[in-house]
Amino acid sequence: MTAQALISKVPGRAIPVRGNDIDTDRIIPARFLRCVVFDGLGEHAFEDDRLGLKAKGQQHPFDMAQYQGAGILFVNKNFGCGSSREHAPQAILRWGIKAIVGESFAEIFFGNCVSLGIPCFTGGEEVLSRLQAAAEKSPQAAWTLDVEAGRIDGPISESVALPAGPKSQFLSGGWNSLNELLTQIPAIERVAASLPYVSGW
Amino acid sequence: MGTNLYHKVFDKHAVGRLSSGQYQLFVGLHLIHEVTSPQAFSMLRDRGLKVKYPGRTFATVDHIIPTDAPERQRPLKDSLAEEMLVAIENNTREYGVKFFGEESGKQGIVHVIGPEMGLTQPGQTIACGDSHTSTHGAFGSLAFGIGTSQVAEILATQTMSMSKLKVRRINVTGKLRPGLYAKDVILAIINKLGANGGVGYAYEYGGSVVDAMTMEERMTLCNMSIEGGARIGYVNPDETTFAYLKGRQYSPIATDWDKAVQYWKSIASDKDAQYDEVVELDGSALEPFVTWGITPGQSIPVTRTIPSIASFPSDERPLVAEALEYMSLQEGQAIAGVPVDVVFIGSCTNGRLSDLEEVARLVRGRKVSPTVKALIVPGSHDVQKAAEAKGLHKIFTDAGFQWREPGCSMCLAMNPDKLTGRQMCASTSNRNFKGRQGSASGRTLLMSPAMAAAAAIEGKVADSRIVFAVKEAA
């Protein structure tokens, strides 16, 4: 069995990406899905948003010098909506993000992040507004996301939430569930045998 | 109180509880395509694992396949696409998984071929590394998109971890007026409940409008559940469902058929089933919907003007402003009359035979505007063959549409069909995200096939009921 790291505390500098409904096509444009491995996706995270801002003489946070090396991403509502592509959290992970705090997450994206060991915590609109402002004001500040306590501490401290199931997966090192699923082969076979469309009408 | 379909089907497939408290869920039908599966097979290889039930996974190629016939010659010109195609051919061969490639004569968009071959059946759990897997819920199955790590889990164990969702019943009451379609219903639902309104929910669609829908219309409806945030959307199986399934390649036959129908009836929601929430939508009041923004919830009836930024709640205003800037549209502007450069009719939302038949009926003898490039892309080889047998392709090409080979085409930017620059596209697909159709500044207006056909002919957004002189029912 492949051992997985226990994820109880995530230290790092923070990077804010503002906006609701940031979809997976924006996180990783589809042309970068033409691949059979996930390697190299990190450099293309938010590529079209970054190029679009550059063309207007502005910068996306992922291009700003002060946020290079950041590990905790602060976002707003419905982050990661759209496609089920695991390439999206893979791109963010490979850019260097280890944890995300947002107002809400799309469901498939959230689940993909669990499988990759990226805790996605939620906080209210005011909480994220304060966190994003603090990260912008002090980009070099160190933060620690405490998975067990449900708290993020840095220039300011905020309570943030994670459902009990994923929380226990991170704390126990069972965030990628394949190992545990594999221990249940007899039970899987019993369910298969009980389903008429699987075992025969 | 009775039980709804979601809980009945989920409970039959629950293998047990995991240490996280989540369920280990058996997945009865696993569909894969070339984009989200290669890394999953690599994970198996790295771990030395086998596919637990190879006969329960089916594969095809849809996202990267060119739709221009000469471009489909192997090797594909795009070497990255060729590498992906080779990977799924090799992976399915090595692990004993059935692959419906081009030469099978059955290739098509995964969410089109599953139902048309009868693989999709009521009461199943269905997963695919593709968010539009919700399409299959039209049959009364629990069908949902997954990531690549979960594709690997299902290959290795035929199970995955999942929490139970809440269930929201959506009753679409009344009767759709002439010129209104399933696409208008789902766009209206997303508009009403929001692009994230369904997070944490499965949507159960019902009511007189849904009861009256054909299976293909129900597929359009369920397809876009995810655009409203709901990972699962479904319709209870009924006689329409059974009639559709009878005689298909993978449907039960002979005495098995009657047993299957009994079983399918048993998993439908009880008459007194409980729901976490019930929402009503008056289907009789709907008008053709068009999106004006960069999320599928940013939409209006074609007869209206784009709402003002100030009319939205304060936390939505930045996104509305961003959308209007990206789309080069103004508050208060009528959506009818907005010029379009490209029209795309196809995709897992609206690339089925009935979609094409309706377009053919409307555009027969008409001409696509000379300022418009218009593509019609069948969802599968079966759709293509059936359409050609009826002569639809001739109607399309006579009208100035390009008639293509099956695939995902211009729904997303992974094959040669792409927008260029700031082109505006009237599209029957499901996503109007920034850059979705292959140009980082390309713009998408989502609508029904009839509305897209009207846009093709007029060269601008137009009310299809006026363009095609649709009469109100007496």
Side-chain angles (χ1 to χ4, degrees):
Chain A
M1 296 259 175
T2 312
Q4 293 178 50
L6 310 187
I7 301 173
S8 56
K9 285 197 166 64
V10 184
R13 289 189 288 114
I15 173 170
V17 172
R18 290 179 182 271
N20 294 337
D21 299 319
I22 292 181
D23 59 72
T24 49
D25 277 87
R26 288 172 68 181
I27 297 172
I28 185 77
R31 61 183 179 278
F32 300 114
L33 273 52
R34 286 157 47 251
C35 56
V36 294
V37 293
F38 289 125
D39 304 341
L41 287 177
E43 62 189 282
H44 300 299
F46 294 107
E47 175 128 329
D48 288 344
D49 280 4
R50 291 159 77 173
L51 291 174
L53 286 168
K54 203 172 277 177
K56 288 196 282 185
Q58 299 166 17
Q59 264 188 328
H60 187 276
F62 270 51
D63 284 324
M64 292 179 184
Q66 66 268 36
Y67 297 126
Q68 301 308 304
I72 304 174
L73 177 63
F74 294 155
V75 298
N76 300 105
K77 288 192 180 74
N78 202 26
F79 187 78
C81 59
S83 150
S84 65
R85 61 185 72 160
E86 191 169 297
H87 306 67
Q90 287 276 5
I92 291 175
L93 175 70
R94 284 156 199 272
W95 188 84
I97 298 300
K98 309 281 188 296
I100 313 180
V101 183
E103 289 178 56
S104 64
F105 296 92
E107 212 160 288
I108 304 176
F109 179 86
F110 180 94
N112 285 339
C113 285
V114 173
S115 294
L116 299 179
I118 309 169
C120 293
F121 275 81
T122 54
E125 191 175 336
E126 297 77 19
V127 170
L128 265 301
S129 171
R130 289 194 292 269
L131 288 173
Q132 289 178 328
E136 284 163 359
K137 191 174 163 209
S138 315
Q140 298 305 320
W143 298 77
T144 301
L145 183 63
D146 186 327
V147 174
E148 176 133 47
R151 205 181 60 242
I152 182 159
D153 299 302
I156 59 171
S157 289
E158 297 286 355
S159 289
V160 288
L162 183 69
K167 178 182 279 194
S168 79
Q169 285 178 277
F170 290 119
L171 294 172
S172 67
W175 36 271
N176 186 309
S177 41
L178 180 55
N179 287 341
E180 194 177 352
L181 298 177
L182 282 165
T183 64
Q184 300 300 318
I185 296 298
I188 294 169
E189 290 172 349
R190 277 196 298 278
V191 169
S194 75
L195 293 165
Y197 74 90
V198 177
S199 62
W201 299 99
Chain B
M1 290 293 268
T3 309
N4 61 48
L5 179 146
Y6 176 83
H7 289 288
K8 289 188 194 183
V9 175
F10 194 105
D11 292 348
K12 283 182 191 296
H13 291 79
V15 171
R17 296 297 275 267
L18 298 166
S19 55
S20 64
Q22 289 180 297
Y23 291 87
Q24 181 170 4
L25 191 73
F26 187 88
V27 174
L29 176 64
H30 184 211
L31 302 169
I32 60 173
H33 59 60
E34 74 284 8
V35 182
T36 52
S37 70
Q39 297 89 342
F41 283 104
S42 301
M43 291 174 201
L44 291 196
R45 222 166 262 129
D46 289 348
R47 300 272 307 259
L49 295 168
K50 290 197 166 67
V51 175
K52 172 71 179 155
Y53 291 103
R56 305 225 65 82
T57 295
F58 295 85
T60 192
V61 54
D62 50 11
H63 287 58
I64 53 110
I65 189 105
T67 65
D68 225 353
E71 300 282 316
R72 286 160 91 98
Q73 290 295 322
R74 299 288 297 277
L76 300 176
K77 279 186 196 148
D78 176 351
S79 62
L80 298 174
E82 176 66 21
E83 189 182 4
M84 295 170 81
L85 185 45
V86 168
I88 197 161
E89 288 169 338
N90 290 344
N91 285 330
T92 50
R93 193 181 308 119
E94 181 181 341
Y95 288 92
V97 168
K98 178 82 184 155
F99 174 60
F100 295 106
E102 176 78 347
E103 64 295 332
S104 71
K106 292 286 177 185
Q107 174 268 336
I109 305 175
V110 66
H111 310 308
V112 175
I113 69 168
E116 76 189 4
M117 289 196 282
L119 285 166
T120 303
Q121 294 171 15
Q124 295 175 331
T125 46
I126 304 177
C128 175
D130 192 293
S131 60
H132 294 111
T133 307
S134 58
T135 310
H136 306 261
F139 291 80
S141 58
L142 302 187
F144 44 85
I146 55 175
T148 297
S149 295
Q150 291 166 322
V151 173
E153 291 176 358
I154 295 171
L155 289 172
T157 71
Q158 206 62 37
T159 66
M160 58 178 280
S161 60
M162 204 177 204
S163 299
K164 271 202 174 180
L165 298 168
K166 290 186 280 188
V167 182
R168 177 181 289 148
R169 164 87 182 188
I170 301 176
N171 283 317
V172 188
T173 58
K175 186 168 183 256
L176 293 184
R177 292 187 293 174
L180 274 291
Y181 301 91
K183 185 63 161 283
D184 301 305
V185 175
I186 188 62
L187 285 173
I189 288 171
I190 298 166
N191 181 274
K192 181 184 169 90
L193 301 175
N196 62 354
V199 175
Y201 285 91
Y203 281 175
E204 177 179 302
Y205 302 103
S208 52
V209 167
V210 179
D211 291 343
M213 283 183 180
T214 65
M215 288 313 296
E216 297 197 349
E217 291 171 319
R218 292 178 188 179
M219 286 187 243
T220 299
L221 182 71
C222 291
N223 172 272
M224 288 186 68
S225 302
I226 187 65
E227 309 313 331
R231 192 175 186 183
I232 286 177
Y234 68 87
V235 176
N236 280 298
D238 60 9
E239 295 302 328
T240 304
T241 320
F242 310 146
Y244 177 96
L245 281 170
K246 187 135 198 177
R248 292 188 184 261
Q249 188 181 346
Y250 285 90
S251 292
I253 50 168
T255 54
D256 284 353
W257 172 260
D258 296 329
K259 289 184 206 162
V261 170
Q262 281 311 110
Y263 181 75
W264 296 340
K265 286 180 177 168
S266 77
I267 53 88
S269 294
D270 297 329
K271 284 212 164 55
D272 58 346
Q274 277 188 298
Y275 300 95
D276 297 283
E277 209 180 301
V278 178
V279 174
E280 301 265 331
L281 182 78
D282 179 4
S284 308
L286 294 181
E287 295 194 282
F289 259 77
V290 185
T291 61
W292 49 262
I294 55 172
T295 81
Q298 293 177 321
S299 61
I300 43 169
V302 65
T303 51
R304 305 276 181 83
T305 57
I306 295 169
S308 68
I309 297 172
S311 68
F312 288 87
S314 61
D315 73 310
E316 285 182 35
R317 288 176 200 163
L319 186 67
V320 173
E322 183 184 346
L324 292 176
E325 189 198 345
Y326 183 83
M327 297 298 290
S328 303
L329 295 172
Q330 314 291 325
E331 306 172 81
Q333 180 180 351
I335 193 73
V338 170
V340 304
D341 308 298
V342 177
V343 169
F344 168 55
I345 296 174
S347 84
C348 59
T349 316
N350 282 123
R352 297 186 179 79
L353 185 62
S354 56
D355 298 310
L356 305 188
E357 286 176 318
E358 183 67 358
V359 171
R361 188 179 71 82
L362 297 172
V363 305
R364 181 191 292 272
R366 310 288 283 259
K367 289 285 178 207
V368 170
S369 162
T371 61
V372 170
K373 172 187 172 180
L375 294 184
I376 300 183
V377 186
S380 70
H381 273 297
D382 271 5
V383 171
Q384 181 185 32
K385 278 179 265 185
E388 290 180 357
K390 287 169 179 272
L392 306 188
H393 62 310
K394 190 77 176 51
I395 296 170
F396 298 146
T397 52
D398 284 351
F401 288 92
Q402 297 180 31
W403 173 243
R404 295 293 188 89
E405 299 290 312
C408 295
S409 185
M410 205 182 269
C411 176
L412 85 175
M414 292 193 65
N415 58 69
D417 302 338
K418 290 179 184 151
L419 297 184
T420 57
R422 291 180 45 70
Q423 280 180 328
M424 184 78 88
C425 180
S427 180
T428 66
S429 55
N430 40 54
R431 290 197 171 129
N432 52 344
F433 298 156
K434 284 180 169 183
R436 169 78 181 180
Q437 292 190 285
S439 160
S441 55
R443 297 170 291 168
T444 305
L445 305 164
L446 300 177
M447 59 188 77
S448 71
M451 283 287 293
I457 284 158
E458 296 294 316
K460 60 191 180 193
V461 176
D463 189 334
S464 54
R465 296 170 302 179
I466 297 171
V467 175
F468 301 117
V470 174
K471 292 194 179 61
E472 279 292 325

